[in-house]
Amino acid sequence: MKGKIIKSTGSWYQVLELETDKIFEARIRGKFKLIKTRLTNPLAVGDFVEFQLEQDDIAWITKIEPRRNYLIRKSVNLSKEAHIIASNIDLACFIFTLKHPETSLGFLDRFLACCEAYNIIPLILFNKIDVLHEEEIEIVKDIEFLYSEIGYDSLEISSYSRLNLDQLQELLKDKTSVFFGHSGCGKSTLVNALQPGLNLKTSEISDTHLKGKHTTTFAQMHFWDFGGNVIDTPGVREFAMIDIEKEEVQHYFPEIFKKREECKFHNCLHINEPKCAVIDALETGEIQHSRYSTYIKLMEEAEENSQK
């Protein structure tokens, strides 16, 4: 039997049987856990699998189909390992909030670099626009412009005022999408607004630290009445890029990769090499300092990982 993983709690999974749309509780055979990998979870929501039924309609997953793409995060306690958040994604939506909680540009850049690395189309959603003052809205528009110049699409939205939700619905229609962002950025509230009746649990922002409380504790796929589905994920603090050489990092920053052709040396890493077009573009403002800073950090991390 063939199915798709629609929920993962770590030890148990829910599998949607593709022909009948029947949902089964499933586990994986012990041998799956012996596969040598730097990933902490062998299966992720969005995976296509083969399974067989045994007594009491318990499904045993016997095979994982190759993934078209996936997004991963660093494991909390195991720096050398990573956790697949979701797989086989058509559109990855990054929910950016200027405040309540504040989203850093560095976090956004890591997300975009991961999308580039794993061949996923990203969409930046500027959420909670209804709570921003005029000056703050101008900041959002400046950020929008910077990223549109690089080539990234974005949309200003609000779950409460329903700003641009009809437009977002059209972008999500008939696709497998995934919502990412810090805890408290409004992922579950947005899902509820787009699909009334789901009633996903939401939570207020912590006044003490102005950070969101974790309300989604495991990944789960929800289906839209208008077609397609979304993978709701726990709040992610840091995206991972595993098994990537430092020389590859520039491939995942389109504006840096484009400029590299003008550098004097074909193997320029854009750090302190002479006649580097990227450093020149940094000085003229053509490349943003925040983006370059994330690029350098990812280079350093790739170097550290190669030495472990």
Side-chain angles (χ1 to χ4, degrees), residues 264-283:
K264 180 179 180 180
F265 300 104
H266 74 278
N267 59 348
C268 185
L269 293 178
H270 324 302
I271 300 173
N272 51 19
E273 297 90 340
K275 295 189 179 179
C276 171
V278 170
I279 293 174
D280 289 345
L282 190 65
E283 291 173 356

Side-chain angles (χ1 to χ4, degrees), residues 145-146 149 255 278-289:
F145 177 76
L146 292 176
E149 288 286 287
E255 71 276 40
V278 170
I279 293 174
D280 289 345
L282 190 65
E283 291 173 356
T284 60
E286 194 177 343
I287 290 176
Q288 295 303 308
H289 282 271

Side-chain angles (χ1 to χ4, degrees), residues 87-100:
S87 68
N88 300 313
I89 304 157
D90 297 314
L91 185 67
C93 300
F94 184 91
I95 301 180
F96 185 103
T97 44
L98 194 65
K99 61 182 184 181
H100 307 312

Side-chain angles (χ1 to χ4, degrees), residues 57-293:
D57 270 356
I58 295 295
W60 287 96
I61 296 164
T62 56
K63 182 182 177 183
I64 307 170
E65 298 293 339
R67 297 180 175 107
R68 177 162 52 93
N69 58 36
Y70 54 88
L71 274 173
I72 55 182
R73 64 171 170 82
K74 288 184 179 178
S75 295
V76 178
N77 298 319
L78 299 166
S79 60
K80 292 183 183 179
E81 299 195 8
H83 182 90
I84 301 179
I85 306 168
S87 68
N88 300 313
I89 304 157
D90 297 314
L91 185 67
C93 300
F94 184 91
I95 301 180
F96 185 103
T97 44
L98 194 65
K99 61 182 184 181
H100 307 312
E102 180 183 351
T103 306
S104 72
L105 293 180
F107 186 52
L108 170 59
D109 289 335
R110 281 177 177 271
F111 165 82
L112 293 172
C114 282
C115 286
E116 295 283 350
Y118 299 111
N119 197 27
I120 300 168
I121 297 171
L123 174 67
I124 308 169
L125 298 177
F126 292 97
N127 196 22
K128 303 186 183 182
I129 293 295
D130 53 316
V131 304
L132 300 181
H133 302 303
E134 194 172 326
E135 297 85 356
E136 293 168 330
I137 291 174
E138 285 304 312
I139 293 172
V140 167
K141 291 192 179 299
D142 286 344
I143 297 171
E144 272 187 90
F145 177 76
L146 292 176
Y147 284 89
S148 68
E149 288 286 287
I150 299 168
Y152 294 116
D153 292 330
S154 62
L155 192 65
E156 296 176 13
I157 62 166
S158 166
S159 299
Y160 293 100
S161 69
R162 300 196 62 82
L163 174 69
N164 289 332
L165 290 198
D166 289 343
Q167 192 175 340
L168 177 58
Q169 209 171 76
E170 282 302 309
L171 294 171
L172 299 174
K173 187 178 180 182
D174 299 330
K175 294 184 177 78
T176 291
S177 54
V178 63
F179 288 175
F180 288 100
H182 288 304
S183 299
C185 71
K187 294 186 298 294
S188 298
T189 301
L190 180 57
V191 173
N192 287 338
L194 290 164
Q195 183 64 44
L198 269 181
N199 298 320
L200 298 190
K201 185 180 177 185
T202 61
S203 189
E204 297 300 317
I205 297 293
S206 163
D207 290 332
T208 310
H209 301 292
L210 291 178
K211 291 183 179 178
K213 301 172 183 176
H214 287 282
T215 50
T216 304
T217 55
F218 45 79
Q220 182 169 4
M221 184 177 287
H222 303 289
F223 294 86
W224 306 122
D225 285 346
F226 53 84
N229 55 72
V230 63
I231 301 173
D232 191 27
T233 62
V236 177
R237 289 192 177 89
E238 189 171 5
F239 290 98
M241 294 175 71
I242 61 171
D243 297 328
I244 288 174
E245 302 293 328
K246 68 176 184 178
E247 291 80 8
E248 295 176 52
V249 175
Q250 61 183 302
H251 292 235
Y252 312 128
F253 288 76
E255 71 276 40
I256 292 176
F257 191 62
K258 185 178 177 183
K259 272 288 173 187
R260 91 194 205 291
E261 297 173 1
E262 300 172 27
C263 294
K264 180 179 180 180
F265 300 104
H266 74 278
N267 59 348
C268 185
L269 293 178
H270 324 302
I271 300 173
N272 51 19
E273 297 90 340
K275 295 189 179 179
C276 171
V278 170
I279 293 174
D280 289 345
L282 190 65
E283 291 173 356
T284 60
E286 194 177 343
I287 290 176
Q288 295 303 308
H289 282 271
S290 57
R291 294 270 298 165
Y292 181 76
S293 176

Side-chain angles (χ1 to χ4, degrees), residues 28-45:
I28 53 177
R29 290 292 187 194
K31 63 181 180 181
F32 268 66
K33 296 174 184 178
L34 299 177
I35 296 172
K36 289 185 179 180
T37 176
R38 294 175 69 186
L39 300 170
T40 59
N41 58 327
L43 281 174
V45 173

